[in-house]
Amino acid sequence: MKSKILGFVALTAALMSCQPKAETFPTKQEVLNKMVLTNQYFMDKWPDTGKSIITNKERPSNIWTRAVYYEGLMALYSIDPDQTFHDYALSWGENHNWGLRDGITTRNADNQCCGQTYIDLYNIEQDSVRIHDIKASIDSMMVTDKIDDWDWIDAIQMAMPVFAQLTKLTGDTAYSERAYDMYMDSKVTQGLWNAADSLWWRDADFLPPYTEPNGEDCYWSRGNGWVVAALVRVMDLLPNDPHRDEYETTLLQMLEALTHLQREDGFWNCSLHDPDHFGGKETTGTALFVYGMAWAVNNNLVDAATYKPIIQKAWNAMAKDAVHENGFLGYVQGTGKEPKDGQPVTYTSMPDFEDYGLGCYLLAGSEVYKMAE
């Protein structure tokens, strides 16, 4: 009898060892390790922060792709105040003379995105040169009545937080009021928000009757991620903004819709309503959704018991399946505006710009870190 019992125990132990290890929520150190690893890879690859970016043509490195990376770097710095991170961001601003692509007369949100980090660095050390050009650019918009500049949803993330930062910095609510007007123009007047699905069309090209191959509307993952990030950043900067209800309601509606669209492997597809149209793991949209969900949990806006497993599954998937041993970030869709752009998206594929994907990942990590034990 004793031998049978021992045999049963041994068999049970063997069977248990074959079971997949249950996923657990990462520790703070585990989250930070992945953030530091991926960031170090990028800093090592780009030691010269003023070096132009060359893809199909040469571009200055204060364009939106690099600006999104620095948003993420400043988020990393906020939880791990390593002087190296600060100095790397500072040298970027200095190497560009704290300027904007196309100068201070630009109204293009992509060109203004760098201002988010410029203002963050000004808040650390009040050197007026750091914010001169970005403030001048926004001020030049404020003296006009034009509010329809944000005719693609990426723009909401690129520029709306700048208006919020200037309100917080100066106390002048005219900036945040103008941002609200521009946001509502995109949402309602231009009609880029679909209340029926609680998601955004990327721009007018994707409004009905445009459909994906399966007949569904085209909701681009990263585009919706940009809006999630913008709403988070604006509410974080201005928690008592008079339009807080609008921003919070829209964010929560989006997050609820996204919970039903997560892939079994933890990622989200490029095309949120057509998983077969360039379906597969994609890091940037996934990271931005994690950023929004984790921020909502950390600010007690959603039920943690509902969202924590979703966040855990997504973060662990990115950490395990997207992050290479050397810190390179895989499954990053290249630039574009829809699911077919920047393909193929694979573990080893190199996007045309690899900076903004890391920025999205670092933003996500900064909020997951706060959730972790």
Side-chain angles (χ1 to χ4, degrees):
M1 175 64 76
K2 184 176 181 181
S3 63
K4 288 184 178 180
I5 293 174
L6 290 174
F8 176 76
V9 171
L11 177 61
T12 302
L15 289 171
M16 289 180 65
S17 69
C18 294
Q19 296 298 313
K21 184 179 179 181
E23 280 197 14
T24 58
F25 204 86
T27 64
K28 286 185 182 299
Q29 193 60 53
E30 287 171 337
V31 175
L32 187 59
N33 286 348
K34 291 293 185 181
M35 296 174 71
V36 170
L37 173 66
T38 51
N39 183 66
Q40 192 62 51
Y41 169 87
F42 184 83
M43 288 174 59
D44 288 344
K45 185 170 182 177
W46 290 88
D48 180 357
T49 58
K51 184 179 180 180
S52 296
I53 304 169
I54 301 176
T55 54
N56 60 326
K57 66 178 183 178
E58 185 172 354
R59 297 174 176 87
S61 66
N62 59 349
I63 60 172
W64 74 266
T65 68
R66 191 58 51 88
V68 170
Y69 159 69
Y70 281 100
E71 286 181 59
L73 179 63
M74 296 307 291
L76 170 58
Y77 179 69
S78 72
I79 61 172
D80 182 19
D82 186 323
Q83 190 66 26
T84 305
F85 305 151
H86 170 275
D87 293 348
Y88 191 67
L90 183 65
S91 70
W92 179 63
E94 291 175 339
N95 277 323
H96 293 287
N97 297 313
W98 306 98
L100 284 60
R101 187 187 190 190
D102 297 337
I104 61 176
T105 59
T106 184
R107 299 180 67 97
N108 190 310
D110 286 348
N111 295 337
Q112 295 167 335
C113 188
C114 58
Q116 295 190 45
T117 296
Y118 294 171
I119 296 171
D120 282 344
L121 289 167
Y122 174 84
N123 288 332
I124 295 171
E125 183 180 352
Q126 286 73 46
D127 182 350
S128 61
V129 69
R130 299 182 181 184
I131 61 168
H132 177 274
D133 284 16
I134 183 58
K135 185 175 183 299
S137 178
I138 301 302
D139 286 345
S140 71
M141 297 177 70
M142 298 287 291
V143 297
T144 73
D145 294 327
K146 182 175 167 58
I147 60 171
D148 60 354
D149 296 270
W150 298 345
D151 56 10
W152 76 109
I153 59 175
D154 313 30
I156 299 173
Q157 194 284 144
M158 303 302 159
M160 192 173 178
V162 174
F163 286 78
Q165 286 174 305
L166 288 173
T167 286
K168 184 174 182 179
L169 180 64
T170 66
D172 187 350
T173 58
Y175 293 112
S176 54
E177 286 299 315
R178 174 57 63 90
Y180 173 75
D181 290 342
M182 295 179 72
Y183 162 84
M184 291 302 290
D185 182 84
S186 300
K187 184 179 184 181
V188 178
T189 306
Q190 298 183 47
L192 300 182
W193 165 255
N194 185 3
D197 291 329
S198 297
L199 293 169
W200 297 70
W201 292 294
R202 197 271 181 177
D203 57 48
D205 289 345
F206 300 96
L207 295 175
Y210 183 96
T211 58
E212 290 284 78
N214 70 349
E216 290 279 340
D217 285 9
C218 179
Y219 299 119
W220 183 41
S221 180
R222 186 163 70 234
N224 279 271
W226 291 136
V227 180
V228 167
L231 295 172
V232 163
R233 290 176 69 74
V234 169
M235 287 190 287
D236 202 49
L237 285 160
L238 302 174
N240 298 314
D241 186 273
H243 306 295
R244 166 74 184 234
D245 285 349
E246 159 61 33
Y247 301 146
E248 184 176 316
T249 297
T250 301
L251 176 66
L252 297 185
Q253 288 173 339
M254 293 183 71
L255 298 185
E256 164 63 21
L258 290 164
T259 63
H260 306 291
L261 302 175
Q262 187 178 29
R263 292 164 51 92
E264 283 298 315
D265 58 23
F267 288 83
W268 277 264
N269 288 297
C270 294
S271 182
L272 294 173
H273 275 204
D274 189 347
D276 297 321
H277 190 217
F278 296 96
K281 302 172 183 177
E282 202 286 307
T283 299
T284 61
T286 299
L288 292 168
F289 299 153
V290 168
Y291 175 51
M293 290 179 182
W295 184 86
V297 169
N298 291 332
N299 287 272
N300 301 311
L301 300 184
V302 295
D303 176 46
T306 299
Y307 279 86
K308 188 173 181 178
I310 298 169
I311 295 164
Q312 172 184 302
K313 189 174 185 178
W315 177 264
N316 287 348
M318 290 189 292
K320 174 179 175 290
D321 296 342
V323 178
H324 290 227
E325 287 186 8
N326 68 351
F328 174 76
L329 196 62
Y331 295 109
V332 171
Q333 185 185 14
T335 55
K337 58 185 279 183
E338 59 182 304
K340 72 176 179 60
D341 293 333
Q343 297 288 343
V345 177
T346 68
Y347 177 66
T348 58
S349 60
M350 176 72 72
D352 50 356
F353 298 83
E354 58 179 308
D355 40 14
Y356 61 86
L358 174 57
C360 297
Y361 185 72
L362 295 177
L363 286 172
S366 69
E367 289 298 327
V368 175
Y369 176 90
K370 296 170 188 175
M371 286 182 63
E373 298 297 329

